[in-house]
Amino acid sequence: MKLKKRLDCGLRGFHVAIIPKAPRSIRRRIQPKKTDEDGQVCAFELLASLARQILQEETESSSASSNASGNDHAVIGKDAVEDGRQYEDKPVKTECLDHGSCEVSAVVSESASLNCNQKCLLNEFPLVEEDDILERTLKTVGSNSSGKIGGDLKLEICKSNMLKGNFLSKAEGGSPNYRESCFNSVENAFEQLVETKAMETGGLNTATTRISKEPTELCMTFPALTDSDKDVKLPSCRDPVPNASFSRHRNDIKLGIRDDDDNLPRFNKFSNKLKVYRPVTRIGDRRIRKLLTSKYWKSAPKLKDFEHPRTGKQDGGMRPSHRKRKTCYNNEKCHRDVLYKWRRFYDRSSVETFDGGFSCESVTNSPEKGRNGNKSISGSMLQTNGMTSSAKGHQSSLRSKDSNVKFSIKSFKVPEIFIEVSETATVGSLKRTVMDAVTAILGGGIRVGVLMQGKKVRDDNRTLSQTGLASEDNLDTLGFTLDPSSVESPNLPLVCPEDPPLLLSDAPQLVARSCETPALDSECPNALTNLALLTKTETLVESNREQAISHTDILTDTTLPDSRALVAVPALNVEALAVVPLNQKSRRSDIAQRRTRRPFSVSEVEALVQAVEELGTGRWRDVKLRSFEDADHRTYVDLKDKWKTLVHTARIAPQQRRGEPVPQELLDRVLAAHSYWSQHQAKQQGKHQAAGVLKIQSPTDHSNGATTGNQL
DNA sequence: ATTAGGG
DNA sequence: CCCTAAT
């Protein structure tokens, strides 16, 4: 996989590199304009002229395709096509090429078409061409602007991008994919520039925001002109499920970033759309999970509790899994993606509230966290342990006059994330990687848990009032957790926001991931709405992670107060999706996730030791009931396993022990108890005596314990 | 559903 | 932690 990735990346890079900047003729034309008007108009003009130029050239090249040198445009188109074929094996070419041109927007439209097609076919595809073009354009402009680019450059770029977005929109019509494409391309271009400039946060933010909004609006505004149908026509989704989330990947394919090992959450929330529901039991969960396991990600703890018919159904299924995305540091595309994500992040975080009264600034943290994590990391395998499993945010809640309870979540911590990076990766790449991962998580693989007084509120069916969350007192102790969602099921039909299931009322269960497919843009808003509803209602009280649904979606959405932003998001999704390869294998892995790792704390170990001393080693269920009744995430199997490891740990040299050090005293007790119970398997029934004895025995004296046992 | 043990 | 097998 890695090799492949690299190749892909390299290939990509290569293409990009090779692609000629822009026809000189174009440049020439551009220059004058630039000089004359400068600024927005200039950008616009430039774009238009470029488009024209390209169109023309395209035509020419078509007629004389044999031309060795070929024009830039031709090359680009070709590449695009090739890519498509490479990955999809489907004849995209024809369609792409014959796609004519729409006047000014010819260039754009064409590339757009390509993209669109590619996407459709593959369900994932980057719009490299667009980017390239845009970049070129931008560069050209910049170079032409006789050195005085400075701060204006950005502005211009933004505008250009916007324009581009416009064109694209027009060309492509209302096609959702298209929109995304536009968005992406714009963003990418922009991001690149920004990146070059050093990623100044402020700048990025501002710029980003603008871009995201503008293009989106434009896109929406424009009526569908043409090729929308293309999307439909194309043999797009290989995926049985048309709406499969994968539909918009951007760089994935190129990068080939997908590996079976990756468990990172998908990047975009849309991607998680599909879910399979299944009845839930812990065991059941496990069963399912076992089928799909990823190395690094773990699903949230399972719930026990009864399952509500509905609930069970909903949460039981598989949820979208997260995939970890391996990084391609060397690839620019990757970087862009990362940036993109970053931007997304910021956008979200920046967005404050929406009428729901639920505001979430938290997202911002993630990025922060990511950075921090990076700092500390140095090996090839990084583990950012963001507070083990769940993070709670500080949130303050306000009780409104009406019966609604308003929550304000200040921040969320990002759940544990595993990142794998090459040793030679740069800090910058690491940062990006982390950011990427974080973003990905936030983008979708998260499930929200509700804590009240430190305890998880499990019953999703209860109302806030019933749960006590409607009362001021409890609100102070209200907490939320973000956990990686456990299972993802690609195969289920997505639930649209409009779908009934959407929560609300007392049985909030799950909110399906909404906007997924291409047509989604329109849907997104709904999601938002839903979110709002969710927020307002008791739905919030959710609980067990397993059962609980994944309000992830909601959560995610929540983050974006601005509907526009939401709409815009799809573009992002594309990228995110891109990460996930379509192949069955990966899919499969996506379905189940490994539970999140939750190292036992010393206190837990102590409790375990205590319980085992009293109950013996063969009664894990009793141990569970006795000492871990409230620890939903600790199953008796877990306890048994832990004991096993404890015994092992106690036997090895302290230097060889890893993780949080367990007090020697406890380890001694472990050995003592272990040896004792080993000799009294037959007597496990008569634990009373044993328990008493064990308690008495000296923690450090193994033989003593054994002896005592013998005496008994 | 538990337990035991390998991976 | 997961998975399987045996209870």
Side-chain angles (χ1 to χ4, degrees):
Chain A
M1 290 312 284
K2 286 185 178 180
L3 180 58
K4 188 191 177 191
K5 288 180 186 176
R6 250 174 233 168
L7 290 176
D8 289 341
C9 292
L11 190 59
R12 262 303 162 198
F14 183 64
H15 281 315
V16 173
I18 343 182
I19 297 172
K21 300 262 168 167
R24 283 173 192 158
S25 57
I26 292 175
R27 289 180 189 169
R28 264 177 274 164
R29 289 185 185 184
I30 293 169
Q31 239 174 348
K33 289 182 179 180
K34 175 71 179 178
T35 305
D36 294 343
E37 304 193 4
D38 202 45
Q40 305 176 4
V41 175
C42 191
F44 189 96
E45 294 280 339
L46 178 62
L47 187 60
S49 63
L50 177 60
R52 245 171 285 158
Q53 179 66 35
I54 293 173
L55 179 60
Q56 186 177 348
E57 290 190 9
E58 177 68 356
T59 304
E60 292 178 3
S61 86
S62 300
S63 0
S65 58
S66 59
N67 186 333
S69 60
N71 61 31
D72 295 342
H73 186 67
V75 174
I76 295 169
K78 196 174 182 182
D79 288 348
V81 173
E82 285 185 1
D83 288 340
R85 290 171 93 195
Q86 260 180 274
Y87 296 100
E88 250 348 77
D89 288 345
K90 296 184 181 181
V92 178
K93 199 178 203 167
T94 306
E95 295 203 73
C96 295
L97 295 178
D98 58 311
H99 200 28
S101 38
C102 301
E103 313 279 72
V104 178
S105 56
V107 175
V108 177
S109 67
E110 181 156 358
S111 55
S113 300
L114 288 173
N115 289 329
C116 196
N117 289 334
Q118 288 179 337
K119 281 185 179 178
C120 293
L121 293 175
L122 306 182
N123 282 334
E124 35 184 312
F125 255 0
L127 325 176
V128 180
E129 310 75 34
E130 290 184 10
D131 289 347
D132 291 342
I133 295 170
L134 180 56
E135 289 176 24
R136 275 179 256 164
T137 304
L138 293 175
K139 285 180 181 178
T140 303
V141 173
S143 59
N144 289 329
S145 59
S146 64
K148 114 304 81 151
I149 301 174
D152 289 351
L153 181 56
K154 281 185 179 179
L155 180 58
E156 288 185 7
I157 293 169
C158 291
K159 291 183 177 180
S160 298
N161 285 330
M162 287 163 56
L163 283 174
K164 185 175 182 181
N166 252 326
F167 286 145
L168 291 176
S169 319
K170 282 185 176 180
E172 217 38 23
S175 153
N177 284 336
Y178 197 61
R179 245 175 262 161
E180 288 184 5
S181 306
C182 298
F183 190 54
N184 279 332
S185 60
V186 173
E187 292 234 13
N188 288 333
F190 182 73
E191 284 178 4
Q192 270 201 337
L193 290 173
V194 174
E195 187 175 14
T196 303
K197 287 203 160 192
M199 295 169 73
E200 153 214 274
T201 303
L204 181 59
N205 260 332
T206 305
T208 303
T209 303
R210 288 179 59 185
I211 292 173
S212 63
K213 285 184 179 180
E214 298 306 317
T216 302
E217 284 186 358
L218 291 174
C219 289
M220 299 198 67
T221 304
F222 290 93
L225 296 177
T226 27
D227 331 279
S228 322
D229 54 333
K230 282 192 175 181
D231 292 342
V232 177
K233 291 178 180 177
L234 297 180
S236 39
C237 323
R238 10 161 139 156
D239 202 343
V241 180
N243 292 335
S245 32
F246 320 90
S247 30
R248 335 97 177 246
H249 289 216
R250 227 185 91 229
N251 299 322
D252 281 359
I253 293 180
K254 302 175 186 177
L255 297 180
I257 302 174
R258 63 146 248 164
D259 34 324
D260 307 339
D261 291 341
D262 292 347
N263 302 322
L264 285 190
R266 285 190 186 169
F267 301 97
N268 82 45
K269 50 184 179 184
F270 295 95
S271 63
N272 296 327
K273 308 168 178 182
L274 307 180
K275 296 181 180 182
V276 175
Y277 303 110
R278 78 174 175 118
V280 184
T281 10
R282 293 181 203 169
I283 292 180
D285 253 5
R286 287 194 173 184
R287 288 288 172 188
I288 290 173
R289 287 179 185 175
K290 71 182 174 184
L291 294 179
L292 340 158
T293 305
S294 57
K295 281 185 181 176
Y296 306 103
W297 273 99
K298 305 187 173 186
S299 60
K302 323 173 165 181
L303 310 180
K304 45 183 201 176
D305 291 5
F306 74 157
E307 28 178 290
H308 187 292
R310 290 165 71 181
T311 304
K313 199 176 185 182
Q314 294 175 355
D315 86 273
M318 332 177 125
R319 353 174 104 253
S321 63
H322 303 212
R323 296 192 109 248
K324 169 174 143 195
R325 177 187 183 180
K326 287 186 180 177
T327 330
C328 289
Y329 342 83
N330 19 18
N331 188 315
E332 241 192 41
K333 289 287 174 181
C334 289
H335 290 218
R336 280 193 239 166
D337 288 352
V338 174
L339 288 178
Y340 193 97
K341 282 161 189 174
W342 258 88
R343 176 191 69 74
R344 179 175 168 198
F345 240 133
Y346 277 101
D347 282 349
R348 287 188 181 179
S349 41
S350 60
V351 184
E352 264 293 334
T353 333
F354 73 22
D355 65 53
F358 182 99
S359 64
C360 187
E361 311 169 356
S362 55
V363 182
T364 312
N365 289 346
S366 318
E368 275 315 316
K369 182 206 163 185
R371 293 177 191 170
N372 294 336
N374 291 336
K375 291 178 184 176
S376 60
I377 304 168
S378 58
S380 55
M381 179 72 164
L382 300 180
Q383 174 177 1
T384 302
N385 192 334
M387 304 289 298
T388 331
S389 49
S390 44
K392 28 175 126 151
H394 308 53
Q395 78 299 349
S396 55
S397 346
L398 302 175
R399 181 110 206 212
S400 59
K401 296 177 181 180
D402 53 341
S403 58
N404 294 331
V405 181
K406 294 184 179 180
F407 300 91
S408 169
I409 299 174
K410 266 207 163 175
S411 67
F412 272 116
K413 285 185 181 178
V414 178
E416 184 175 50
I417 301 172
F418 290 88
I419 298 171
E420 186 174 336
V421 185
S422 128
E423 293 181 10
T424 57
T426 64
V427 173
S429 69
L430 200 167
K431 288 180 180 179
R432 284 186 286 269
T433 302
V434 173
M435 186 57 221
D436 204 353
V438 172
T439 303
I441 294 174
L442 290 178
I446 300 174
R447 112 184 336 194
V448 179
V450 175
L451 297 177
M452 198 171 87
Q453 297 179 337
K455 285 194 171 185
K456 278 182 283 183
V457 177
R458 293 191 189 124
D459 191 344
D460 293 327
N461 298 313
R462 294 176 68 188
T463 64
L464 290 180
S465 300
Q466 293 175 322
T467 309
L469 288 175
S471 108
E472 294 256 341
D473 305 80
N474 290 328
L475 288 180
D476 293 329
T477 62
L478 175 63
F480 291 90
T481 61
L482 293 186
D483 301 294
S485 65
S486 43
V487 182
E488 179 175 351
S489 77
N491 299 326
L492 280 198
L494 350 155
V495 180
C496 293
E498 296 177 356
D499 292 348
L502 281 189
L503 0 145
L504 317 184
S505 13
D506 357 353
Q509 319 210 309
L510 94 90
V511 176
R513 226 171 220 295
S514 31
C515 325
E516 5 209 301
T517 338
L520 332 173
D521 294 4
S522 56
E523 294 181 3
C524 294
N526 291 336
L528 187 61
T529 302
N530 292 335
L531 179 64
L533 289 177
L534 177 63
T535 306
K536 291 181 180 179
T537 42
E538 36 288 30
T539 314
L540 282 183
V541 183
E542 150 171 259
S543 30
N544 35 64
R545 324 169 156 206
E546 299 277 81
Q547 275 192 352
I549 334 173
S550 39
H551 281 267
T552 307
D553 303 327
I554 294 174
L555 175 61
T556 303
D557 290 345
T558 305
T559 11
L560 321 180
D562 185 331
S563 60
R564 289 187 210 160
L566 185 58
V567 174
V569 177
L572 298 177
N573 297 336
V574 173
E575 292 184 0
L577 292 179
V579 177
V580 182
L582 294 182
N583 78 41
Q584 302 172 353
K585 189 177 181 184
S586 62
R587 274 177 137 208
R588 179 165 164 265
S589 60
D590 285 346
I591 300 172
Q593 284 183 295
R594 198 185 186 99
R595 288 195 300 161
T596 77
R597 186 169 179 265
R598 267 119 163 239
F600 277 70
S601 64
V602 173
S603 62
E604 282 181 307
V605 170
E606 182 161 12
L608 176 60
V609 172
Q610 173 71 34
V612 174
E613 286 175 342
E614 298 176 14
L615 303 173
T617 56
R619 305 167 61 214
W620 302 109
R621 177 167 168 276
D622 292 329
V623 170
K624 159 72 177 171
L625 267 38
R626 181 189 185 104
S627 305
F628 295 82
E629 177 79 88
D630 298 330
D632 306 319
H633 57 291
R634 302 295 188 201
T635 66
Y636 44 76
V637 173
D638 292 329
L639 299 176
K640 183 216 63 176
D641 288 340
K642 179 56 182 175
W643 181 261
K644 183 173 64 178
T645 61
L646 276 175
V647 171
H648 177 260
T649 301
R651 288 171 171 167
I652 62 177
Q655 297 73 35
Q656 299 178 56
R657 297 171 189 164
R658 289 182 292 178
E660 186 180 6
V662 176
Q664 185 59 43
E665 177 257 337
L666 283 176
L667 291 176
D668 290 334
R669 287 170 63 188
V670 168
L671 287 179
H674 185 263
S675 61
Y676 172 83
W677 288 107
S678 294
Q679 297 179 346
H680 295 269
Q681 292 179 359
K683 285 188 174 185
Q684 291 195 4
Q685 299 300 326
K687 52 250 158 169
H688 303 297
Q689 303 168 12
V693 174
L694 287 173
K695 285 180 181 178
I696 296 169
Q697 73 183 3
S698 165
T700 55
D701 185 347
H702 307 195
S703 59
N704 186 13
T707 301
T708 304
N710 289 332
Q711 290 176 347
L712 291 177

